[in-house]
């Protein structure tokens, strides 16, 4: 896996955490809907993206300090680091 930037977080991801369930764990609780899903690479929670009304993945990254998410969308194979605004394919 090669990061396309100087981000130090992406290069520490040795194996990618896949989504346990294809659903935003927070939106499911409140009955809300989402657009795309992201899986936190620190704790494994799957949450919704910035195109979704609740933006749970971004809020989780800011509140928990967990920097890297992977796309949970079928066929998408990329990681994103919030603090560095950096993407990497895998
Ligand atoms: Zn980073
Ligand atoms: Zn959500
Ligand atoms: Zn997390």
């Amino acid at each position: 896996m090669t990061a396309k930037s100087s981000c130090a977080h992406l290069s520490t991801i040795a194996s990618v955490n896949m989504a346990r369930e294809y659903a935003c764990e927070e939106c499911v609780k409140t009955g809300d809907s989402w657009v795309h899903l992201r899986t936190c690479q620190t704790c494994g929670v799957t949450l919704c993206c910035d195109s979704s009304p609740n933006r749970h993945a971004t809020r989780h990254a800011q509140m928990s300090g967990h920097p890297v998410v992977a796309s949970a969308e079928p066929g998408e194979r990329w990681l994103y680091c919030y603090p560095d605004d950096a993407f990497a394919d895998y």
Side-chain angles (χ1 to χ4, degrees):
M1 192 182 307
T2 44
K4 287 170 183 155
S5 75
S6 58
C7 166
H9 308 99
L10 292 169
S11 58
T12 65
I13 308 290
S15 62
V16 175
N17 280 333
M18 303 308 292
R20 293 181 291 239
E21 288 186 51
Y22 189 67
C24 172
E25 295 186 15
E26 292 300 321
C27 285
V28 163
K29 291 177 193 170
T30 54
D32 285 327
S33 59
W34 57 84
V35 179
H36 299 297
L37 295 170
R38 309 288 179 245
T39 301
C40 177
Q41 296 302 294
T42 305
C43 66
V45 68
T46 296
L47 297 166
C48 54
C49 73
D50 275 359
S51 302
S52 309
N54 292 306
R55 302 183 177 190
H56 283 127
T58 298
R59 280 205 265 167
H60 174 75
Q62 289 171 345
M63 288 173 57
S64 67
H66 297 167
V68 178
V69 293
S71 174
E73 296 302 311
E76 293 189 7
R77 292 172 61 84
W78 52 261
L79 300 164
Y80 177 69
C81 173
Y82 281 99
D84 293 310
D85 190 27
F87 285 94
D89 297 320
Y90 68 88

